[in-house]
């Protein structure tokens, strides 16, 4: 059964191409997802973007990001390194309480394509830590560096999220550089990769939210991005964005 997962993921794509991100029927949205920062009197958002922050949580830097997001009514997704959760449980609870999505980035930032059972154990251990702190289950996975194998996907108990817009904030830092990379490329439905371990990335994210909100974009969690697109995320599928999968060897 699990063996057939990859082609099942791929089967979805032609359908998605026909529907299109913007063409999703609004009636299909869960009631909660229909609540948006944009007042009903205004026109519909120009598009939806999911900012995602890897290697989280990071103490005061993450806190500053949460403050900025709260002030703007924006929601994002955090992918947590399991071993960083201890001592930062309150911060993790705050993420969830303020409407952000929390996901799994392995226990020690282990690449999943070459680590076999060790990587699988790291995912499980982080999932269990998230269940202890937040409750729930089936936390989405962001593979460290984006590396995943067919085996990773077969064994995953949740959807996996790659990205469609890489800011390369770890390699080319600087607030202006990161802002420019996003503004030059962002389109409706994009999943943007950032890290809340860098002050510059936090400043850049908040500046981008200000700029693109003024152009009518709304910033939502990955889960809401998929719901808005009318796509039900499948466990074991590695998505770049709701209408695009990343295939792995
Ligand atoms: Zn990472």
């Amino acid at each position: 059964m699990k063996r057939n997962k990859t082609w099942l993921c791929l089967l979805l794509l032609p359908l998605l191409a026909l529907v299109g991100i913007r063409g999703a029927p609004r009636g299909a949205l869960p009631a909660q997802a229909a609540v948006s920062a944009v007042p009903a009197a205004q026109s519909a958002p120009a598009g939806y973007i999911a900012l995602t922050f890897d290697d989280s949580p990071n103490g005061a830097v993450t806190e500053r990001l949460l403050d900025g997001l709260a002030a703007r009514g924006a929601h994002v997704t955090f992918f947590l390194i399991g071993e960083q959760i201890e001592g930062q449980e309150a911060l993790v609870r705050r993420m969830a309480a303020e409407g952000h999505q929390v996901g799994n980035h392995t226990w020690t930032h282990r690449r999943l394509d070459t680590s076999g059972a060790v990587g699988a154990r790291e995912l499980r251990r982080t999932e269990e830590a998230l269940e202890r702190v937040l409750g729930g289950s089936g936390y989405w996975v962001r593979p460290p560096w984006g590396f995943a194998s067919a085996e990773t996907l077969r064994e995953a108990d949740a959807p996996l999220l790659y990205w469609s817009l890489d800011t390369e904030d770890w390699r080319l830092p600087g607030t202006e550089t990161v802002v420019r990379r996003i503004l030059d490329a962002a389109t409706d439905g994009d999943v943007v990769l950032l890290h809340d371990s860098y002050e510059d990335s936090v400043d850049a994210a908040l500046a981008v939210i200000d700029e693109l909100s003024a152009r009518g974009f709304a910033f939502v969690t990955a889960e809401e991005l998929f719901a808005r697109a009318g796509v039900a995320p499948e466990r074991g599928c590695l998505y770049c964005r709701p209408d695009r999968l990343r295939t792995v060897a």
Side-chain angles (χ1 to χ4, degrees), residues 54-55 105 109 195:
D54 282 10
D55 307 356
H105 199 45
H109 207 270
H195 297 81

Side-chain angles (χ1 to χ4, degrees), residues 130-200:
L130 291 173
E131 290 175 9
R132 269 196 308 279
V133 174
L134 297 177
S137 63
Y139 287 88
W140 290 28
V141 171
R142 162 72 50 76
W145 299 284
F147 292 132
S149 64
E151 188 189 359
T152 313
L153 271 47
R154 272 198 305 274
E155 298 195 346
D157 283 327
L160 297 95
L161 189 61
Y162 195 78
W163 51 82
S164 56
L165 200 171
D166 185 357
T167 63
E168 299 192 60
D169 57 343
W170 58 275
R171 193 171 69 83
L172 299 166
T175 304
E176 274 312 307
T177 310
V178 175
V179 167
R180 188 44 52 201
R181 290 187 80 99
I182 301 174
L183 293 184
D184 284 352
T187 59
D188 181 31
D190 265 333
V191 173
V192 181
L193 172 62
L194 289 150
H195 297 81
D196 68 351
S197 35
Y198 305 119
E199 298 277 5
D200 283 357

